[in-house]
Every structure is written in structure tokens, then in C-alpha cells.
Amino acid sequence: MHLIERIAARKVKIGVIGLGYVGISVASALAGAGFEVTGVEIKQERVAKINAGKCPIDGIEPGLPELIAKVTSSKNLVASTDYASLADADVVLIDVETPVATDSRPRFEALRAACRELGRVMKEGVLVIVESTIAPGTCARIVVPLLEKASGRKVNEGFSLGHCPERVMPGKLLKNLKELSRVCGGSNAETSDAMVALYRTIVEGKLDKADCTTAEMVKTAENTYRDVNIAFANELGLICEAVGVDFRRVRDLVNESPGRDVHFAGAGVGGHCIPKDPWLLVHGIEGFEPKLIAAARARNDSMPLHMARLVESALEEIGKRIYGSTLAVLGYAYLENSDDTRNSPSEAIVEHLQDWGAKVLIHDPWVEPYTGDLWSRIQGADAAIIMVKHDGYQNLDLAKLKSVLASPVLVDGRHVVESADAAAAGFVFRGLGRGRPRYL
Ligand SMILES: NC(=O)c1ccc[n+]([C@@H]2O[C@H](COP(=O)([O-])OP(=O)(O)OC[C@H]3O[C@@H](n4cnc5c(N)ncnc54)[C@H](O)[C@@H]3O)[C@@H](O)[C@H]2O)c1
């Protein structure tokens, strides 16, 4: 039976390598669609947790804990640390992390290891699909050579290769997986057709066929688009502060002009993807020096330092300085209602504040060891600094906040508090992008 018919009949075994945010979501969704799925993950405790029917991700992730409980109890999803369990898989997805190093160059160790280990065990005719985000050219330069060497088979003869980058975001993993369109990049047309058949079992969005390199390019370009646009919003926010106007108001009015869609300014850009995907996009292109993309990265990376300067300015207004102060950072994840701290702007601001001699208290409802009662965690601080728009920080009781702080200083990096409310509650207030009127 042809692969497409076997997919329709649920007669293919699927392997998923890497059971992080992306891998556990797609593995559960495919298991929920009736496939027999084996997940291979190097972290033993994660494997044990999944096999016990528990969700390995904290934070609000609608539907995922229930789905994992269901598909593990039916044994449609089984996790393992052993690559040998992929020997009878007909389709294998690769969902390992693909970070960049401090010099902004890709670190594809996990991807290389996954290809080498998979190549040793994969069977004749397997379809391998890389879902991880990778630099344009990575399928051709890294994935194919490693799989061919380890397996002794040739691409498009002994195995086929596809690249179908994920578009999910923590907090909406299953929803995004189901609703968003996907690019099915195949090493040949037949492979793209098989990928469309497979993803159609879990995706309601559009499925576009392409080649692998186009798929690599699209994913890294869409995240770079976001980074550059956020950088523009952040730069505009800084200009608004300097000019003495409110960024939100300016943004709303600019966006009334046709074709304009200014993003939000904020305390920084974090997560596994946006800070590194622009570097993946421009990696390995001979003689090309990124200008705009590099400038956008620098602007976004500068935002936590700017937040620290806002804290400094607010403290100065009450005759205090950062050195010797105790400062409370609200939110340590990079994203609201998530436990994901990768490249978190909060980590960067904490480093700046500590470098300048502050003692820093941290609260986050989702990130250990900072969970627990907000008020007791930040009791006695000289200022509160909102870094993340967690639900728990919306509608903050400002009177209560003032009563637990040693001095009434509030700095808001996510537009959670209105300036007028902060003033009415008696705070010395700074908001990112909120200039204090200077002119007319
Ligand atoms: N997090 C997101 O929202 C998101 C969204 C879209 C795309 N992506 C991309 O998807 C990929 C995965 O991201 P993630 O957030 O799920 O990462 P993650 O770090 O949460 O998950 C990766 C998992 O792979 C495991 N792993 C590493 N090496 C392995 C190996 N050799 N064999 C088996 N398991 C191994 C890790 O232990 C980890 O659990 C990345 O390329 C990322 O850029 C992520």
C-alpha cells in the first residue's frame, strides 16, 4: 500500500524525536488522531513524566494535559530514551532545539545527534521530517549527509526527507497546531504530497507544498519579520518617551493609516525562537553582512537595559539609587502565562540590576523557584518592575502593592497599569513608551 493510503488508514507508525514544547504537542496530536506514536527524548525524567500521563510543560496550555493523559493511557503515545524504538517507524519527525551560540552562530548539536542516532536505526523507505527551525541550506548541508552516512541509504532512494517548520507558540500549542497553515517542504514532489496527507490528519489550516530550502527560508523569514517589527515598535516607544507622548496612543493612530500595523513596544524579546531565528536566516551566506536584521536584534536586546534605566530614573525621583536598593521583578518567563524562561528579558534585567548593586526579588506564578504569594515575595522592595503580562498581574491591586513596598515606585514594561491609575494610587511611575508630556 502506498504511504498516502497507509496514512489515511492510520497504518503508519510515527516517531517523534525531542519531546519539548513542539515535539510533545505534535506527538500527542498525532496519537490523538489515531496513530501509534513513539517519542524519543534524551531527558529520562521527561520520558517518565509523559509515560505517567503527565504534561511536561507548566503554564496555561489548554487541552494538552488532558490529551497527553488520554493518548498515553491508550498507549497511542509511548515515550522512550531509546532510538531503537524508532526502527519500525514509517515516518519520523525531528523536533529538537536549534539554538545559536553567544557569537550568534547556529548550534545544531542536538540536530546532528538526532540525525546520527536516527540514521543508525531507521528502516528502508522511511520519511524523515525536520520540524525544528533551521538555517536555509541545513537540510542539504547537514541533515542529508548525516542521515546518508549513518544509514548507508540515499535520499529519495532509501529514504525521503521533508522540512515542515512548526508555527506554534507556548500557551496556544494545540490551537496553533490545528489552525495555522504549514509549509510542507519535500525533497521531491512525492514527499510533499505524503507530508500534506500526514499533516491533514491534524491540521485544519492550509498546507502549502514547497521544496525543503523554501520551507527553511519561510520559517526563518517569518520570525525575522516579527523581530524587526518589534524592534521598530521598541524604537518608536523610546522616541515617544523622549518626545513626551504615549506610544499606545501613537500606535493606535498610526495603525489607522492603511497598510500600517505597528507592533507593541515592550521590555524585551525572549523565547527559544525569535531571538535566534534572524541569525539562522542570515547564516552561511557568503559575502553577506546583515544590517537591518542585526540592528533590530541589537535594539530588542537593549530593552532590558532601558527598563533598568527607567527604574534608576524613578528611584532618583524619591532620592534613592539602585545601589543598595531591593527591587522586585514581576515575571521571569519570556511570555505571559508560560513557564518558558529561555532568553527571558527578565534574566537580563536582573543581571543589570545586580551588577549595579541591587538586591533583586523575583516573582513568577509559573516559574520555579519564584512561584507563591506575590505580596510576601516582594514585601519590602523599593520598587516593583513589571516584566511579563501574566494574567495574575492584570488588574493589580495598586493600593495593596503600595502597602507591601518600602517605597511607592512602579515601573511597567508591558503596559499592564494605566499611568493615571498609578498616579492616583500615589506611585512614582515609569512605563515603557510612556513619555511625560513636554511640549504642547
Ligand atoms: N517553542 C516554540 O514555541 C517553537 C515554535 C515554533 C518552532 N520551534 C522550533 O522547534 C524546535 C524545538 O523547539 P522546542 O521549543 O520544542 O525546544 P525544547 O527545548 O522545548 O525541546 C527540544 C527537546 O529535544 C530534546 N532533545 C535534544 N536533543 C535530543 C536528541 N538528540 N534526541 C532526543 N531528544 C533530544 C531536548 O531534551 C528537549 O526536550 C526548535 O527548532 C524551535 O526553534 C519552537
Side-chain angles (χ1 to χ4, degrees):
M1 209 194 287
H2 188 270
L3 182 60
I4 292 180
E5 289 158 24
R6 286 192 288 133
I7 288 169
R10 304 296 189 266
K11 288 203 169 126
V12 293
K13 289 189 176 172
I14 298 177
V16 177
I17 301 177
L19 297 174
Y21 289 87
V22 167
I24 188 60
S25 310
V26 70
S28 308
L30 288 165
F35 293 100
E36 205 178 298
V37 181
T38 302
V40 170
E41 164 60 56
I42 48 173
K43 289 182 190 144
Q44 172 64 53
E45 65 285 4
R46 191 165 270 254
V47 166
K49 202 166 184 181
I50 293 166
N51 285 336
K54 299 205 177 78
C55 180
I57 300 168
D58 291 327
I60 300 174
E61 210 52 78
L64 189 59
E66 297 80 359
L67 182 60
I68 292 172
K70 187 175 147 207
V71 295
T72 49
S73 97
S74 68
K75 298 280 179 233
N76 279 72
L77 174 61
V78 175
S80 168
T81 54
D82 187 2
Y83 272 79
S85 61
L86 298 178
D88 61 349
D90 303 285
V91 179
V92 179
L93 312 188
I94 300 180
D95 288 293
V96 297
E97 68 273 18
T98 48
V100 293
T102 43
D103 63 359
S104 307
R105 293 169 63 83
R107 275 191 41 227
F108 287 158
E109 283 90 341
L111 179 69
R112 288 174 199 276
C115 291
R116 276 193 292 262
E117 295 291 323
L118 173 64
R120 281 189 200 120
V121 299
M122 69 191 201
K123 72 175 188 186
E124 178 78 20
V126 65
L127 165 58
V128 179
I129 302 173
V130 178
E131 289 205 315
S132 299
T133 307
I134 47 181
T138 303
C139 280
R141 288 177 180 150
I142 295 178
V143 178
V144 166
L146 287 174
L147 287 175
E148 286 187 340
K149 183 161 185 237
S151 69
R153 300 192 175 92
K154 286 264 165 223
V155 69
N156 291 335
E157 292 172 18
F159 71 96
S160 40
L161 179 71
H163 176 43
C164 186
E166 268 294 357
R167 285 181 161 148
V168 294
M169 251 189 95
K172 300 179 194 161
L173 291 171
L174 289 183
K175 182 177 160 52
N176 287 164
L177 188 53
K178 184 171 158 190
E179 293 176 0
L180 298 183
S181 66
R182 299 285 290 272
V183 182
C184 296
S187 53
N188 58 24
E190 206 185 7
T191 303
S192 291
D193 290 342
M195 291 168 73
V196 168
L198 177 73
Y199 283 96
R200 186 46 77 217
T201 64
I202 53 169
V203 175
E204 287 174 4
K206 200 161 162 256
L207 296 169
D208 296 298
K209 292 183 220 171
D211 56 79
C212 292
T213 315
T214 299
E216 294 169 330
M217 187 74 202
V218 169
K219 174 66 196 182
T220 47
E222 71 197 32
N223 277 0
T224 305
Y225 170 91
R226 183 128 179 90
D227 198 47
V228 170
N229 275 281
I230 295 171
F232 174 68
N234 282 337
E235 193 139 316
L236 211 53
L238 300 182
I239 296 169
C240 286
E241 282 178 31
V243 171
V245 294
D246 185 279
F247 167 79
R248 285 288 173 120
R249 181 77 179 134
V250 170
R251 175 185 178 272
D252 286 348
L253 299 179
V254 168
N255 286 347
E256 282 184 22
S257 180
R260 273 57 163 187
D261 185 15
V262 176
H263 287 40
F264 290 115
V269 172
H272 179 49
C273 298
I274 305 286
K276 55 99 178 166
D277 289 352
W279 297 124
L280 296 186
L281 173 66
V282 299
H283 176 69
I285 307 172
E286 208 184 320
F288 172 76
E289 192 193 338
K291 301 275 190 201
L292 175 69
I293 291 169
R297 277 284 67 241
R299 169 54 68 222
N300 289 338
D301 278 348
S302 76
M303 297 312 286
L305 178 60
H306 179 71
M307 283 293 292
R309 291 209 183 102
L310 289 180
V311 178
E312 187 174 45
S313 134
L315 285 173
E316 268 170 18
E317 199 172 315
I318 57 159
K320 290 192 177 183
R321 52 186 188 166
I322 285 181
Y323 184 87
S325 290
T326 299
L327 303 171
V329 168
L330 275 61
Y332 202 72
Y334 88 91
L335 179 71
E336 57 266 27
N337 304 322
S338 169
D339 68 337
D340 193 343
T341 59
R342 289 177 290 178
N343 301 309
S344 169
S346 301
E347 196 179 341
I349 195 179
V350 168
E351 273 175 25
H352 290 309
L353 298 173
Q354 286 174 339
D355 278 353
W356 297 352
K359 177 181 172 195
V360 181
L361 309 174
I362 302 170
H363 176 267
D364 191 297
W366 299 109
V367 179
E368 294 297 352
Y370 309 121
T371 59
D373 178 56
L374 168 66
W375 310 118
S376 45
R377 276 215 167 263
I378 67 170
Q379 178 85 37
D382 295 292
I385 308 156
I386 301 172
M387 290 294 289
V388 186
K389 212 167 142 190
H390 286 312
D391 284 355
Y393 303 152
Q394 309 277 349
N395 306 313
L396 266 184
D397 181 341
L398 294 180
K400 172 99 183 175
L401 179 64
K402 195 169 162 221
S403 74
V404 301
L405 295 178
S407 45
V409 174
L410 178 57
V411 180
D412 181 3
R414 299 289 175 190
H415 208 119
V416 168
V417 178
E418 291 304 327
S419 311
D421 295 343
F427 278 99
V428 171
F429 180 73
R430 298 287 185 278
L432 193 129
R434 278 179 275 180
R436 287 172 295 161
R438 299 176 54 182
Y439 304 122
L440 296 175

